[in-house]
């Protein structure tokens, strides 16, 4: 079972930046894929960005493409999400997740990820 713990959330104004971090347990570090998802209360969880641990290739949702950057460190135990030019619609609880097998994405969908952390709140005010 992967264990993932998110941090780095906060409150910023429109146009601001935040960097989220996620620490992964050893099992999560051996996963094929890592990713960031977000959820607004009352709505379904949305995939934001995912990355292949092996190749470093990444995929983004259309809503964040060009503004967010996902990365992982060489030890594969930390995952990051650099968020730039934040908008009020980016307000959500952000979760990191792991997937044990490839592929990391299917088209624009990010299926089969497992979650274990409590998430970190990001609030963007206008």
């Amino acid at each position: 079972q992967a264990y993932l713990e998110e941090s780095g959330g906060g409150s910023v104004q429109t146009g601001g930046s935040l960097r989220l971090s996620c620490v992964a347990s050893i099992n999560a570090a051996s996963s094929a894929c890592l990713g960031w998802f977000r959820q607004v209360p009352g709505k379904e969880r949305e995939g934001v960005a995912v990355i292949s641990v092996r190749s470093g290739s990444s995929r983004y949702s259309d809503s964040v493409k060009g503004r967010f950057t996902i990365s992982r460190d060489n030890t594969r135990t930390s995952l990051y999400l650099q968020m730039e030019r934040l908008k009020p619609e980016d307000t959500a609880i952000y979760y990191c997740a792991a997937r044990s097998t490839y592929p990391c994405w299917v088209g624009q969908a990010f299926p089969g990820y497992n979650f274990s952390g409590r998430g970190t709140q990001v609030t963007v005010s206008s």
Side-chain angles (χ1 to χ4, degrees), residues 15 18 35 37 53 55 57 59 64 81 85-86 88 93 96 99 104 121:
L18 282 174
F37 293 70
V53 173
S55 69
S57 298
R59 191 85 162 196
V64 307
L81 185 69
R85 302 195 304 279
L86 283 160
I93 300 174
C96 63
R99 178 183 163 98
C104 297
Q121 175 73 47

Side-chain angles (χ1 to χ4, degrees), residues 11-83:
S11 297
V12 297
Q13 292 188 328
T14 299
S17 303
L18 282 174
R19 185 178 193 236
L20 305 184
S21 299
C22 173
V23 176
S25 67
I26 296 299
N27 285 339
S30 63
S31 297
C33 314
L34 297 171
W36 287 97
F37 293 70
R38 66 188 182 187
Q39 188 169 22
V40 175
K43 295 188 177 181
E44 288 191 4
R45 187 150 42 195
E46 172 193 16
V48 174
V50 297
I51 187 168
S52 165
V53 173
R54 180 177 61 195
S55 69
S57 298
S58 56
R59 191 85 162 196
Y60 297 87
S61 68
D62 288 341
S63 60
V64 307
K65 199 176 298 182
R67 299 187 298 120
F68 290 12
T69 304
I70 188 172
S71 62
R72 69 230 202 292
D73 68 358
N74 290 334
T75 67
R76 305 178 180 179
T77 58
S78 292
L79 180 70
Y80 306 99
L81 185 69
Q82 180 67 40
M83 304 186 294

